[in-house]
Amino acid sequence: MFDILEADIVVFQETKIQRKDLVDDMVLVPGWDCYWSLPKHKKGYSGVVIYTRQSVCAPIRAEEGITGILCPPGSTTSFCDGPEDQRIGGYPTKVQLEVSAIDATMLDSEGRCVVLEFPAFVLFGVYSPANRDETRDDFRLGFLDIIDTRIRNLVAMGKRVILTGDLNISREELDTANAEAAMRKNGYTAEEYICTPARRMFNQLLEGGKVVGERDQGREKPVLWDVCRGFHPRRKGMFTCWEQKVNARPGNYGARIDYVLSSLEMKTWFSESNIQEGLMGSDHCPVYAIIKDQVESDGKMVHILDMMNPQGMFLDGLRQREYSTKDMLPTSGKLIPEFDGRRNIRDMFSRKPTLAKSESAATSFEEDRRGAGATNDIIDSTTTQTPPAGSARATPAADAPATKATVPSVAGKKRPSAGTPSNASFKRSKSGVSNPAVPMSAKGQQSLKGFFKPTAAANVSPTAPSSSYHVEDESDKHAESVLEAGTEVRAGSVGPSTQSSTSPTSPLARRTPSSHGARSSQASPSKDRSAMEEDLDMVHDPIESKESWSKLFTKPVAPRCEGHDEPCKSMLTKKSGMNCGRSFWMCTRPLGPSGAKEKNTQWRCGTFIWCSDWNSTSTA
């Protein structure tokens, strides 16, 4: 993946994992270091990670969270209270935190920010809360307010800043395809749309951002530059996120909510910036920015590698010393206890494997036997060598297969011979009572189809000396005619062999009492006929049952859309309201660029059918 991206710093948002879910492929990436911010309480929620290529760049400080209130691994001192040389700085003051309606600890508990400092700039990897419902508005605005405060504080300290990630805000109408639809839905004017709280706060942070009226106190001047928009000022459709549920990506009906923002003094540092809308695998696409090899800093040109690594590692773009474990920061993912000191699986194949326990045990046993004067040689396929030419020495195990295992006998006990029966103990029955061999009963229901097979009422009493069976098969017309004449039909012979000769899965089997193997036939024809009718009423028709279950589990035939005469797809309504939980049919084609259902085009038509209103059997 990193080879495809061809980047030296990669920022991921919305990882949706916890610490227990981390695996080697995520942390022990050869040639890369990683810095994680994971949710503290919620499972499968948010999460940010920044990967840095060790051959090109190495941060000098790293923190988790935007407020500095969290603590480094293995420490009880927060980042903002740590030693001066270990702090990135720019932390919100107590007064600035009190303005926010959300507690600082709560803001940093969801794993939404990683901060890395290089000598060149401070990098923020951020995943901002989305505008899902009104219950999260305070948290969202509080998060954006603290981000704005922290960045402005760092700029005031003279540090350069790069803010990148999923900010979940579109700057203006040019950055979203549904701007007009959103205005109509909420009854906004164009001016009111720009003045929504989150969008207004974001635009005041950016140079060239649309701000209606006077700026807010403390936000009088912009401090960041939209790098990608700076290279494509009026480009339309430059979207980075699409709704997957309506398959909006093929029609490019999306929004630009992912950014690379930099300090104003870094505008000349970048040579290119764009989106990679063709790179699939997520509902977002990557946004990238390329920094020049030579950049201007403090009035002179400096190689970027000199400013992306600790002092003394590079000079004029040439490496002076190699990256080592001493350069790792405490927040590095490779120093997590579960991964600290471990190697990547690729490195395991570069070294010679150690001797297995079974092999070492066999070797030690061989040495013990030889030391005790054993006469037989033990042949080990892993250590056997070809004898020298002319050697006529033969071993008893020379013809044995190489995979044969030799098991030593227990000291003081003889090894049991192959012909000796095992000393398995058998359970004794009660004295004076013989246990005749009882035939194994048939296994339970093996499939759904077995539920509909007629059952066999074969309740054999263990004390009965003998038994016979009266078999009636509704599919045998001859048997039915014989029963009407008052004659019984018997399957098998009378005696012990009768049980084995009668199939336990016969359609109908009713036991007839007998004495000492002799059969008695005293039933009248009318009684036999009534008993047969009762048994027939208890039988399920397997064909009818199969058809009923087939109708129940068979996938319904999908209706065809009106615009393209193609099978529709079924969707589930999740929006709260009276129709929540109902399923409906709609056109399978992607949503068009207009975001509306179209006629006589390649995009989605207006077909909409509730599943409860569709009868597939009547149209099939």
Side-chain angles (χ1 to χ4, degrees), residues 385-393:
Q385 297 181 358
T386 305
S391 174
R393 183 171 179 267

Side-chain angles (χ1 to χ4, degrees), residues 76-369:
T76 57
T77 304
S78 61
F79 289 109
C80 60
D81 296 330
E84 184 70 26
D85 60 339
Q86 297 179 11
R87 292 188 295 173
I88 293 178
Y91 309 106
T93 63
K94 186 177 181 181
V95 177
Q96 291 172 332
L97 289 174
E98 289 176 352
V99 176
S100 176
I102 306 298
D103 183 70
T105 307
M106 183 65 67
L107 288 174
D108 283 339
S109 65
E110 295 188 356
R112 293 187 175 274
C113 182
V114 174
V115 187
L116 302 184
E117 183 177 6
F118 302 89
F121 52 80
V122 177
L123 173 65
F124 284 81
V126 172
Y127 174 50
S128 178
N131 185 21
R132 300 296 182 190
D133 52 64
E134 296 179 356
T135 60
R136 295 277 291 176
D137 284 350
D138 290 342
F139 185 90
R140 183 174 187 238
L141 294 176
F143 185 89
L144 294 173
D145 180 59
I146 296 301
I147 279 284
D148 179 272
T149 301
R150 179 81 185 272
I151 291 175
R152 291 182 182 275
N153 290 348
L154 286 169
V155 172
M157 294 173 58
K159 293 190 176 183
R160 292 174 287 262
V161 176
I162 290 182
L163 172 63
T164 183
D166 179 4
L167 302 184
N168 272 311
I169 305 174
S170 55
R171 283 184 56 180
E172 52 188 82
E173 300 91 333
L174 185 63
D175 296 303
T176 179
N178 68 336
E180 295 182 3
M183 287 186 232
R184 288 195 303 267
K185 179 180 179 181
N186 298 305
Y188 290 159
T189 63
E191 186 174 296
E192 291 173 338
Y193 178 79
I194 293 296
C195 289
T196 54
R199 188 169 289 110
R200 175 180 173 84
M201 190 183 304
F202 183 52
N203 278 316
Q204 291 183 94
L205 187 66
L206 300 177
E207 182 184 55
K210 287 186 179 181
V211 180
V212 178
E214 295 183 0
R215 288 176 170 267
D216 300 339
Q217 185 178 0
R219 302 187 176 100
E220 292 81 6
K221 294 182 179 180
V223 294
L224 296 181
W225 178 58
D226 189 346
V227 181
C228 194
R229 179 57 76 187
F231 280 89
H232 311 277
R234 302 311 303 170
R235 176 180 169 185
K236 296 182 179 180
M238 193 170 63
F239 305 139
T240 63
C241 180
W242 301 267
E243 180 64 48
Q244 286 185 317
K245 294 180 181 178
V246 296
N247 195 17
R249 189 164 187 171
N252 196 27
Y253 186 75
R256 188 171 78 98
I257 59 177
D258 303 271
Y259 300 88
V260 177
L261 313 174
S262 73
S263 294
L264 299 180
E265 62 180 285
M266 298 177 63
K267 293 173 67 173
T268 59
W269 285 30
F270 297 93
S271 61
E272 182 186 350
S273 181
N274 208 336
I275 64 173
Q276 293 179 291
E277 66 273 21
L279 191 59
M280 312 300 283
S282 170
D283 58 337
H284 293 250
C285 77
V287 184
Y288 70 90
I290 301 176
I291 300 179
K292 301 175 183 178
D293 292 339
Q294 297 285 336
V295 297
E296 182 179 356
S297 176
D298 299 330
K300 60 180 181 180
M301 300 302 293
V302 182
H303 200 285
I304 190 60
L305 293 181
D306 297 355
M307 303 179 65
M308 294 298 296
N309 293 274
Q311 187 176 7
M313 186 172 289
F314 278 85
L315 180 62
D316 296 333
L318 300 177
R319 180 175 290 278
Q320 303 300 307
R321 66 177 181 88
E322 294 296 329
Y323 182 89
S324 65
T325 54
K326 295 181 180 180
D327 298 310
M328 284 188 181
L329 301 176
T331 52
S332 171
K334 292 189 175 181
L335 295 182
I336 297 177
E338 296 90 329
F339 302 95
D340 186 16
R342 291 180 53 191
R343 297 175 298 155
N344 185 274
I345 192 171
R346 295 180 183 178
D347 300 335
M348 297 180 182
F349 296 98
S350 61
R351 297 181 58 183
K352 185 177 180 181
T354 56
L355 193 63
K357 289 185 177 180
S358 58
E359 297 176 2
S360 59
T363 305
S364 59
F365 172 67
E366 177 185 356
E367 295 175 354
D368 294 341
R369 288 191 51 137

